[in-house]
Amino acid sequence: MELVEHIERAWGWTGIKPVKVVQENEFGNLMIRDQQGRYWRLCPEDLYCQVVAQDGAALDSLIQDHEFQQDWNMHSLVAEAQAKVGPLGPGRKYCLKVPGLLGGEYGGDNLASISLVELVNASGSIALQIKDLPDGSQVRFRFTE
């Protein structure tokens, strides 16, 4: 199964119809072009997948933005993850064990690595399950195989 198929299966509930992953970072954030030519950012650590640019020109403008570049590149967090977890193997990305949206720390013992496909699937599943909860809700994880 192609990565875009995993994205559509895990995050399709957001309305995304992915065509191509055009960029990715070390934490599995993906920039995805959809069927309408819009660009979405999938951000696993913050459990969102949303339109960030309406077309290629808007994406080019966004990519030139210094604040976006800092957020996208995550240099200090990547350096900490490399030191804590080690280098990434093929198909793997750094991740937060507990997503930031759920109170997970951006660093320290909350850093790990995971396959990109597993990260896309897990983050989409968690995001779907909590999407309608009010801020401050308590959640309990139950893992099943």
Side-chain angles (χ1 to χ4, degrees):
M1 186 181 302
E2 295 289 322
L3 181 56
V4 292
E5 294 171 302
H6 286 282
I7 294 166
E8 186 159 15
R9 180 175 284 170
W11 288 92
W13 57 270
T14 64
I16 189 171
K17 301 281 188 224
V19 172
K20 182 178 181 180
V21 174
V22 297
Q23 259 188 318
E24 60 185 68
N25 73 15
E26 299 294 320
F27 269 84
N29 281 230
L30 304 175
M31 193 66 65
I32 307 154
R33 189 178 74 237
D34 74 5
Q35 292 175 352
Q36 297 176 340
R38 299 176 302 178
Y39 292 86
W40 297 63
R41 181 177 181 176
L42 192 160
C43 184
E45 70 274 7
D46 288 333
L47 300 173
Y48 71 79
C49 184
Q50 61 191 27
V51 174
V52 293
Q54 292 296 322
D55 56 29
L59 178 65
D60 290 344
S61 179
L62 178 65
I63 289 173
Q64 298 303 316
D65 182 77
H66 178 71
E67 191 173 308
F68 174 81
Q69 279 297 318
Q70 284 186 303
D71 183 56
W72 179 264
N73 291 319
M74 308 167 88
H75 290 301
S76 60
L77 193 57
V78 168
E80 184 179 353
Q82 287 172 335
K84 182 111 180 139
V85 178
L88 292 170
R92 296 189 69 80
K93 297 294 182 181
Y94 296 116
C95 68
L96 301 180
K97 294 175 188 176
V98 176
L101 186 69
L102 298 177
E105 177 187 1
Y106 284 80
D109 290 334
N110 198 34
L111 296 171
S113 73
I114 189 172
S115 81
L116 178 56
V117 167
E118 194 173 359
L119 180 60
V120 166
N121 291 331
S123 61
S125 175
I126 294 168
L128 175 61
Q129 292 177 60
I130 67 166
K131 70 179 179 66
D132 295 325
L133 294 177
D135 287 348
S137 294
Q138 292 192 0
V139 296
R140 179 178 296 164
F141 288 109
R142 189 174 70 179
F143 298 95
T144 59
E145 209 46 55

